[in-house]
Amino acid sequence: MAVRTIRIGELSRSSGVSPRLLRYYEEQGLLRPQRRPSGYREYLSTDVAVVRRIRGLLAAGLSTATIASVLPCIREDGERLVPTCPDLVAQLRRERERIDQAIDELTTSRQILDSVITAAPSTPVPADPPLLP
């Protein structure tokens, strides 16, 4: 398939990502379109796959800053993302540990909230009446 240039609207339609979000990816250094003299952005048709990789890494819980550093070391193999740089797996393991810690903290928060909810009386306690002026 020949690589061609496309505008933001076509990239949006092809990737399913809004133009506003594509501009955000550009601000974060994840996409690097060329600028025409008229100011229009020109993307490569291969950027559709780049946007898919970005979306996959975001769904995996990575921040855009982390994605900016790992994106050059990721390729697609069918539906899977595959690391291609030697140190990337170690970095991804650290990210997974960070996510595991966040899950543990959220689980604790949910348990505390559950205990507060179950401590509620079976009949609702009436709210205090509003104060009159």
Side-chain angles (χ1 to χ4, degrees), residues 29-49:
L30 304 177
L31 291 173
R32 291 182 178 85
Q34 297 297 311
R35 290 289 189 141
R36 295 185 66 135
S38 62
Y40 285 110
R41 293 169 173 85
E42 279 192 340
Y43 297 88
L44 298 176
S45 56
T46 54
D47 284 335
V48 174

Side-chain angles (χ1 to χ4, degrees), residues 1-8 10-12 14-15 22 31-35 41-51 53:
M1 177 167 121
V3 176
R4 58 187 178 85
T5 59
I6 58 177
R7 286 202 179 150
I8 196 167
E10 186 176 347
L11 180 58
S12 174
S14 298
S15 66
L22 293 172
L31 291 173
R32 291 182 178 85
Q34 297 297 311
R35 290 289 189 141
R41 293 169 173 85
E42 279 192 340
Y43 297 88
L44 298 176
S45 56
T46 54
D47 284 335
V48 174
V50 173
V51 172
R53 287 193 291 277

Side-chain angles (χ1 to χ4, degrees), residues 75-121:
R75 69 173 173 80
E76 289 182 63
D77 182 14
E79 295 292 316
R80 295 182 337 164
L81 296 177
V82 179
T84 60
C85 298
D87 297 334
L88 183 56
V89 172
Q91 183 178 358
L92 293 175
R93 284 192 174 120
R94 287 190 299 275
E95 287 297 319
R96 185 179 61 197
E97 289 170 8
R98 180 191 59 77
I99 291 169
D100 285 343
Q101 182 178 359
I103 289 170
D104 290 345
E105 291 170 2
L106 286 170
T107 299
T108 300
S109 296
R110 183 180 59 203
Q111 289 169 343
I112 293 168
L113 186 56
D114 285 346
S115 71
V116 171
I117 291 169
T118 57

